[in-house]
Amino acid sequence: LHSQCFDEIIRQVTIDCPERGLLLMRTRDELKMTIAAYQTLYQSSVIFGKQKLLQSEKGKTELEQRIAELEKTKAELEDKKIQLTNKKEAVEKRIQERDEIMREKRESELKFLKFQGHHLENFLNNIKP
């Protein structure tokens, strides 16, 4: 509708003054080219935006998969840590029990040797008048 009105104005102005009519036609043509350029720019920017959206969604999916993998690995490592901690505590307990048994054994052996030494001294004292 605007285009038809503008064409009619150009026609009427061209009848009165051909130079002004030519300038208005150039202006109309420049305006059409500018609008076409803006439409092309808009369409290409929409396409670019869609491509970027698809790339970001693809990257998002990959990152979510990576996060899931890392969380699984983390859970496995935490389980392994718990197992190793339990194993370490068991080994420390065994070592402590073994040390306690060895200490008791040394004490009983020392007590026996003292007892034996004391009896041997008494025996020697009894042998020598």
Side-chain angles (χ1 to χ4, degrees), residues 24-91:
L24 283 174
M25 280 195 286
R26 285 185 190 170
T27 304
R28 178 193 63 198
D29 294 341
E30 286 292 324
L31 181 63
K32 285 183 180 180
M33 288 190 325
T34 303
I35 289 173
Y38 279 126
Q39 286 176 339
T40 304
L41 181 63
Y42 174 75
Q43 290 171 351
S44 64
S45 66
V46 167
I47 291 170
F48 178 77
K50 287 180 182 179
Q51 289 173 344
K52 284 296 183 182
L53 178 65
L54 291 174
Q55 285 177 351
S56 68
E57 287 178 358
K58 180 183 177 188
K60 182 180 176 184
T61 304
E62 290 172 356
L63 288 176
E64 287 174 348
Q65 290 174 349
R66 178 79 171 130
I67 288 171
E69 290 172 7
L70 290 174
E71 286 177 347
K72 181 181 175 184
T73 304
K74 177 185 171 192
E76 291 171 356
L77 289 174
E78 286 177 350
D79 289 344
K80 188 173 182 179
K81 175 188 165 197
I82 291 170
Q83 290 173 355
L84 289 175
T85 302
N86 291 339
K87 189 174 181 180
K88 176 189 151 224
E89 289 173 358
V91 168

Side-chain angles (χ1 to χ4, degrees), residues 98-125:
R98 187 184 68 204
D99 288 348
E100 182 67 25
I101 290 170
M102 292 298 288
R103 185 184 59 78
E104 289 174 0
K105 185 178 176 182
R106 279 190 304 269
E107 286 178 2
S108 67
E109 196 174 317
L110 184 62
K111 186 177 177 182
F112 172 75
L113 289 174
K114 283 182 182 179
F115 175 76
Q116 193 176 25
H118 186 310
H119 277 321
L120 286 174
E121 283 179 15
N122 286 340
F123 178 72
L124 283 176
N125 288 338

